[in-house]
Amino acid sequence: MAKRVLIVEDEANISQLLRLYLEKDGFSVEAAADGGAGLVAFRQNPPDLVLLDIMLPVMDGWALCREIRAESKVPIIMLTAKGETYDKVSGLEMGADDYIVKPFEMKEVLARIHAVMRRYGHAADAARRLAFDQLVIDMDSYTLTVGEKTVDTPPKELELLFHLASSPNRVFTRNQLLDEVWGFDYFGDSRTVDVHVKRLREKLEGVSDRWSLKTVWGVGYKFEALGE
Ligand code: CA
């Protein structure tokens, strides 16, 4: 599926030029001409990347950047006019991923977009792999590594462990785990969770004192991990 880019830019000729080149490069493009419309467009149809002008009517690029960041990790590239001072530090604090100074070469814009998306893609991939002391849970290869050894683990056990370990120290009820790991259409009961936890414990017990699979009596389970 085509990656979607939202352009928020009040200068129509720049916006159209960006649209033309991005579409030619295979992106699907939506454009908004002011910050308010940009926020509406962002919420209605979340894009894969935002190109954001700084000087905009209604809501400026910084304010919009902050709004978007409060809701999403989507990559944001700021467009700044020559002469406008772009403060890199405050830009990064607002959560922008990169910036481009106008007038720009389209080649440069495309290169920056691809670079930022690659970086973002890697970050998203990284979340498929969790590492703790003596423990790696890798959902790309569906492997569990304990110490130096790969331990044979059925998919559901691994998914359950990954789910718990994705939110360390958060308590999940058995029903939450059934819904979130097995899915709503699963007809098992909460003992299924207990059985899987028991089997995981057999693989994990005594491996590290930095984390453990804990029973929270009367509630459910949590992956307890000590902070760094
Ligand atoms: Ca502008």
Side-chain angles (χ1 to χ4, degrees):
M1 224 169 71
K3 294 275 186 200
R4 302 186 55 260
V5 175
L6 172 63
I7 302 168
V8 189
E9 165 65 81
D10 59 326
E11 283 161 84
N13 55 343
I14 295 181
S15 182
Q16 277 158 19
L17 189 74
L18 284 166
R19 175 193 285 276
L20 192 77
Y21 276 87
L22 288 172
E23 286 180 346
K24 228 168 80 180
D25 203 56
F27 290 98
S28 146
V29 175
E30 185 167 6
D34 67 65
L39 187 57
V40 170
F42 175 82
R43 285 179 173 157
Q44 275 175 355
N45 203 356
D48 299 297
L49 182 137
V50 182
L51 279 180
L52 185 50
D53 184 29
I54 293 175
M55 299 299 284
L56 287 168
V58 184
M59 180 192 289
D60 71 19
W62 292 129
L64 180 53
C65 182
R66 208 168 32 228
E67 291 285 335
I68 291 174
R69 253 314 152 260
E71 301 175 13
S72 161
K73 292 190 167 79
V74 67
I76 300 173
I77 300 179
M78 305 300 291
L79 302 173
T80 166
K82 203 173 175 185
E84 255 172 35
T85 48
Y86 177 92
D87 182 344
K88 199 165 181 186
V89 173
S90 65
L92 293 175
E93 276 171 1
M94 298 288 181
D97 295 275
D98 202 355
Y99 70 102
I100 297 169
V101 180
K102 294 190 248 183
F104 42 69
E105 297 268 345
M106 274 315 302
K107 247 185 12 203
E108 190 200 346
V109 175
L110 288 174
R112 297 287 189 97
I113 288 175
H114 286 294
V116 165
M117 279 187 157
R118 257 197 313 278
R119 228 156 57 208
Y120 179 73
H122 288 160
D125 286 348
R128 305 269 307 152
R129 184 178 179 279
L130 295 173
F132 298 88
D133 176 43
Q134 303 291 316
L135 177 71
V136 178
I137 312 161
D138 189 328
M139 299 311 289
D140 284 324
S141 56
Y142 262 80
T143 52
L144 176 66
T145 311
V146 180
E148 303 289 301
K149 277 190 298 195
T150 302
V151 178
D152 267 343
T153 311
K156 274 294 172 242
E157 270 180 49
L158 202 61
E159 286 165 20
L160 175 63
L161 180 61
F162 183 79
H163 196 75
L164 288 163
S166 294
S167 303
N169 305 318
R170 182 185 147 192
V171 181
F172 292 87
T173 67
R174 288 172 177 80
N175 280 333
Q176 274 174 337
L177 292 168
L178 273 179
D179 285 346
E180 291 162 12
V181 178
W182 276 263
F184 288 98
D185 52 354
Y186 182 74
F187 291 109
D189 62 44
S190 55
R191 272 169 304 182
T192 307
V193 178
D194 299 339
V195 169
H196 281 74
V197 168
K198 183 168 170 280
R199 289 188 188 141
L200 279 169
R201 281 200 178 127
E202 288 163 4
K203 299 178 170 78
L204 300 173
E205 213 126 68
V207 170
S208 170
D209 55 7
R210 307 285 304 163
W211 49 263
S212 64
L213 209 48
K214 281 254 157 74
T215 303
V216 182
W217 294 109
V219 187
Y221 295 104
K222 68 175 174 179
F223 182 86
E224 193 173 79
L226 299 177
E228 292 312 308

